[in-house]
Amino acid sequence: MNRHARAYRLLLCLYPRSFRERFGDEMVTLFAELVGDARRPGTRFGVTRLWTHTMIDLVTSARRERWEDIMRPHHTLGRIVIVAIPVVAIVGLLAAGWATALALIAAGVALAVLQRARLRSTLVGLRGDRWWLTALLGVALFTAGLGSLWLPISSASAWTIGSLLGVAGLGALGLALVSALAAIVRPPATSGAD
Amino acid sequence: MGERASSALPPAALHVLLAIGPGERHGYAIMSEVERITDGSVRMGPGTLYGTIKRLLADGLIEACAAPPGNPRDDPRRRYYRLTTLGQTVAATEVKRIETLLRRSGARAWTTQGPTP
């Protein structure tokens, strides 16, 4: 593989992982062949023109693939987070000041990280064999909600953050309870299938 | 899929379907064929090409297939694609739609500046 193809492979990180895993090798092979064409005798600035064209293609197609990846049906939480972060930030800013807005954005980013780490199935998939993870998350959120009441911020902001975390924690605990019941009713082999 | 068959395809998808044609082609061959049939006016990058291939695979218009026999020196990393029966129907429907459009508007002569009376 030539250095141009190696550089192109590095740039493929701009695409979603699923896209890279499926087409990455083919794309690099194709690009290496295009480099070979661009280096033919008599081709002026061939490699430079190829890179220019490829970079424009990369930016436009990677943006599209990223967007499609986020909007896939099973990325519900990702969609909610994308819409919710600016909305809650604005509402928080208007209602309770910048500290609350920042805390809400941080919560949104944390949710996005959870989504990225594939923990969403634990939260929304009712996976019976993982109910204890959901329960742990619920306890952690509820405890964080209680702890936020002692944060060195205004009482209104602390109350808002504490309430949000507390409600999220109770929600996760409720979900864990349903998941545990589902684990009793359904055998783990079928409830764990994606 | 019936809805897909009766609606206009995105230009990139139509180009790829027409470039694959009746046989099997890999990415480089598809890209070269698109450039050839458009007289060089359409040059797809790898991202656009494989993004289009991804959507055509998802819609069931093309499928991956084994390399055609007779070229033992072919790069094993290449993957070949061919039209499905649905893909052939959709491509034929789209070509017919464009032909009808051109025929019905054929009373006017078109130039690069637009229609002439």
Side-chain angles (χ1 to χ4, degrees):
Chain A
M1 191 193 299
N2 60 49
R3 62 193 165 93
H4 293 283
R6 280 199 297 273
Y8 184 66
R9 181 178 282 285
L10 287 176
L11 289 170
L12 290 185
C13 67
L14 292 172
Y15 292 97
R17 181 183 295 178
S18 57
F19 188 82
R20 283 200 309 270
E21 287 176 351
R22 194 169 179 192
F23 299 110
D25 285 345
E26 284 181 78
M27 291 169 78
V28 173
T29 304
L30 171 59
F31 186 76
E33 288 177 301
L34 294 175
V35 171
D37 286 350
R39 280 176 164 167
R40 276 188 196 150
T43 311
R44 291 187 67 194
F45 307 111
V47 175
T48 308
R49 283 197 305 180
L50 172 64
W51 266 114
T52 307
H53 179 244
T54 302
M55 289 308 290
I56 294 168
D57 172 70
L58 188 86
V59 170
T60 52
S61 59
R63 181 192 55 78
R64 179 172 184 169
E65 295 304 328
R66 283 275 172 200
W67 181 248
E68 281 190 7
D69 186 58
I70 290 168
M71 298 304 281
R72 276 189 299 175
H74 72 269
H75 273 212
T76 309
L77 189 56
R79 275 186 286 178
I80 291 170
V81 167
I82 281 175
V83 174
I85 286 179
V87 171
V88 295
I90 291 167
V91 170
L93 193 64
L94 293 175
W98 63 269
T100 306
L102 281 178
L104 288 171
I105 292 169
V109 171
L111 271 175
V113 171
L114 280 174
Q115 149 82 2
R116 190 71 191 160
R118 308 289 177 192
L119 286 175
R120 70 186 183 285
S121 56
T122 307
L123 285 167
V124 298
L126 289 181
R127 291 185 60 160
D129 56 333
R130 298 282 181 89
W131 64 268
W132 55 272
L133 260 177
T134 314
L136 273 178
L137 184 68
V139 171
L141 283 170
F142 194 79
T143 308
L146 282 176
S148 66
L149 296 176
W150 281 275
L151 284 174
I153 52 178
S154 72
S155 57
S157 299
W159 178 251
T160 307
I161 295 167
S163 302
L164 284 171
L165 289 172
V167 168
L170 287 175
L173 281 170
L175 192 58
L177 182 64
V178 176
S179 299
L181 289 172
I184 294 168
V185 175
R186 292 184 300 181
T190 52
S191 62
D194 274 325
Chain B
M1 286 301 161
E3 190 181 331
R4 162 68 87 190
S6 62
S7 64
L9 278 173
L14 180 62
H15 286 139
V16 170
L17 289 181
L18 294 178
I20 294 174
E24 303 92 7
R25 284 187 197 270
H26 51 72
Y28 180 75
I30 296 171
M31 187 184 276
S32 304
E33 184 65 7
V34 168
E35 203 167 336
R36 191 190 68 79
I37 62 178
T38 60
D39 277 338
S41 63
V42 175
R43 284 192 64 204
M44 283 186 170
T48 303
L49 175 66
Y50 282 98
T52 306
I53 286 176
K54 184 193 85 173
R55 283 178 275 282
L56 291 174
L57 285 167
D59 286 346
L61 302 185
I62 62 172
E63 62 188 0
C65 60
N71 194 358
R73 292 176 65 189
D74 209 359
D75 191 328
R77 289 171 299 181
R78 278 177 167 169
R79 198 178 298 164
Y80 283 77
Y81 300 95
R82 69 178 169 216
L83 299 192
T84 59
T85 308
L86 178 66
Q88 291 171 13
T89 307
V90 169
T93 306
E94 186 65 5
V95 168
K96 194 172 180 183
R97 188 186 70 81
I98 294 169
E99 281 175 350
T100 306
L101 195 67
L102 290 172
R103 198 174 56 247
R104 287 182 183 166
S105 63
R108 286 177 292 232
W110 287 75
T111 70
T112 50
Q113 281 77 40
T116 54

